[in-house]
Amino acid sequence: MKKYLLLFCLLAVVQVAFATDLTENPVLTESRIMSDSVVVEFGKSGKVLIIVESKEDFEKLKLMNINQIISELDLEENKETGEMTIVEIRKKDGTIKEVVKVYEDGGNTEVNVGGVRVYVDESGENTRVKVETGAKKNSDPPFRSFFNMDLGINNYLEDGGFPTSDKPYAVKGWGSWMVGLNWMASQRISKGFHWNFGLGFHFYNFKFENRDYQAVRGDDSIEFIQRTDVDGFKSKISSSYLTAMTLLELDFGKMNDQGRRGIRLAAGPYVGYRLGGQSKYVYEELGGSGRHKDKEATGLYLENLRYGVRGELGVGRVKFFTTYDLNELFQEGKGPALNPITFGIVF
């Protein structure tokens, strides 16, 4: 079955191959066919020419069957991959275009003819044939670039723990968001092992649990003032950074040829440069005159440079991340010693 299929592909592709490449790579043909020859015509212009040198050779040709013709082709097979090229076109510039390629794997055979793939499965009692069209996609290309988005929840650590509620800068978990927009590139090092790197714009929002405290810029440090003259609705500090990151990723799904069904682990450092920072306080007068907003630039006492480590865990199509700043949020001596930490999901 396989050999008949290969011969069919060989005959069918000659016309296509020469029709597409004749303009770029013209070939000289003889206008006359030798008398001792056999011509097999197919399609509108496809021909296979078999030339014999003597009557004895012609008699031998008459006794040959298709299997013998295939064996006489003396095709070279890659013993490691099972790959075999049947038809190739050698261009004038020295390059080679492979037209028909065959992959053998036990009872399974794959034939690639241009953009068409034919799968033959003879491992069972019945032979099954499957035909696919379109370019074959590489599920693990050597290099690719992509865009993703981080969405997480912020907090910070003080002396190894989260600040308690009696601290004016204690963070409210729901509402302290981190949003990151990242342009990334991935270089494959080996199967399932990648080096990822890229740039991103990250916005951090630390919303205080106690909304009666407002962060203001003092003479030489950040000050947290309790506002008893108004009714506070929201109090927070925000900052934005241009961040460069690099990670090494292990994709166990690709290692085991399971695609997205495996676990993915990645870790690496990052460094960011601060683009802005401010405090925001939303309040209402005690008499009820509507809401007001006070914004104050606190960037003077925020560290201009942040650096830390990032970890990622992927399960199926879902990927989680966490970041931890190794340096503090505020400049030394200008505010509490706080190391930001974020947990979230990657889209």
Side-chain angles (χ1 to χ4, degrees), residues 4 8 12 37 48 51 75 89 94 150 193 201 215 248 255 331 344:
Y4 288 94
F8 171 77
S37 62
V48 175
I51 301 175
L75 301 175
I89 298 176
D150 297 334
F193 184 35
F201 174 76
L248 293 177
M255 286 183 179
Q331 299 174 14

Side-chain angles (χ1 to χ4, degrees), residues 55-261:
K55 182 177 179 180
E56 290 76 12
D57 292 341
F58 186 76
E59 293 297 329
K60 180 180 179 181
L61 177 65
K62 291 167 57 178
L63 299 176
M64 295 178 66
N65 57 28
I66 293 178
N67 292 336
Q68 289 175 305
I69 294 175
I70 293 295
S71 63
E72 291 293 329
L73 289 176
D74 192 22
L75 301 175
E76 296 184 1
E77 178 181 356
N78 188 320
K79 299 300 183 180
E80 295 181 358
T81 63
E83 177 181 317
M84 180 171 52
T85 300
I86 295 181
V87 179
E88 63 182 23
I89 298 176
R90 297 180 180 269
K91 300 182 180 180
K92 289 184 177 181
D93 59 1
T95 61
I96 298 176
K97 178 180 179 181
E98 295 175 341
V99 182
V100 180
K101 183 172 287 189
V102 180
Y103 299 89
E104 292 277 0
D105 184 15
N108 298 317
T109 302
E110 176 185 343
V111 181
N112 291 307
V113 186
V116 180
R117 297 186 301 277
V118 181
Y119 299 93
V120 181
D121 183 3
E122 294 183 316
S123 58
E125 296 181 358
N126 300 320
T127 300
R128 294 180 296 178
V129 179
K130 179 181 178 182
V131 180
E132 293 184 356
T133 59
K136 185 176 181 180
K137 296 182 179 179
N138 190 344
S139 59
D140 192 13
F143 180 85
R144 67 186 181 98
S145 60
F146 56 95
F147 177 84
N148 63 26
M149 184 180 74
D150 297 334
L151 180 61
I153 297 178
N154 297 319
N155 208 321
Y156 30 61
L157 298 178
E158 183 179 31
D159 297 328
F162 298 112
T164 56
S165 300
D166 60 326
K167 301 292 181 63
Y169 45 82
V171 165
K172 183 178 182 180
W174 191 258
S176 297
W177 303 109
M178 177 272 192
V179 177
L181 303 176
N182 307 306
W183 180 86
M184 302 293 294
S186 180
Q187 174 66 51
R188 185 182 65 196
I189 300 176
S190 61
K191 184 177 181 181
F193 184 35
H194 301 82
W195 172 39
N196 302 334
F197 53 93
L199 287 173
F201 174 76
H202 294 170
F203 179 81
Y204 288 81
N205 183 36
F206 298 95
K207 188 175 182 180
F208 299 145
E209 184 177 352
N210 193 334
R211 58 190 183 184
D212 292 332
Y213 283 89
Q214 180 182 5
V216 298
R217 183 173 59 183
D219 293 336
D220 58 357
S221 65
I222 293 289
E223 296 181 0
F224 298 91
I225 301 176
Q226 186 174 16
R227 297 290 300 271
T228 58
D229 57 327
V230 296
D231 287 332
F233 285 93
K234 183 188 298 183
S235 182
K236 67 177 183 178
I237 289 179
S238 60
S239 58
S240 57
Y241 301 87
L242 179 65
T243 305
M245 69 186 80
T246 178
L247 305 98
L248 293 177
E249 180 183 39
L250 288 174
D251 192 327
F252 294 98
K254 291 181 179 178
M255 286 183 179
N256 300 320
D257 297 322
Q258 295 179 346
R260 287 288 187 179
R261 290 178 290 179

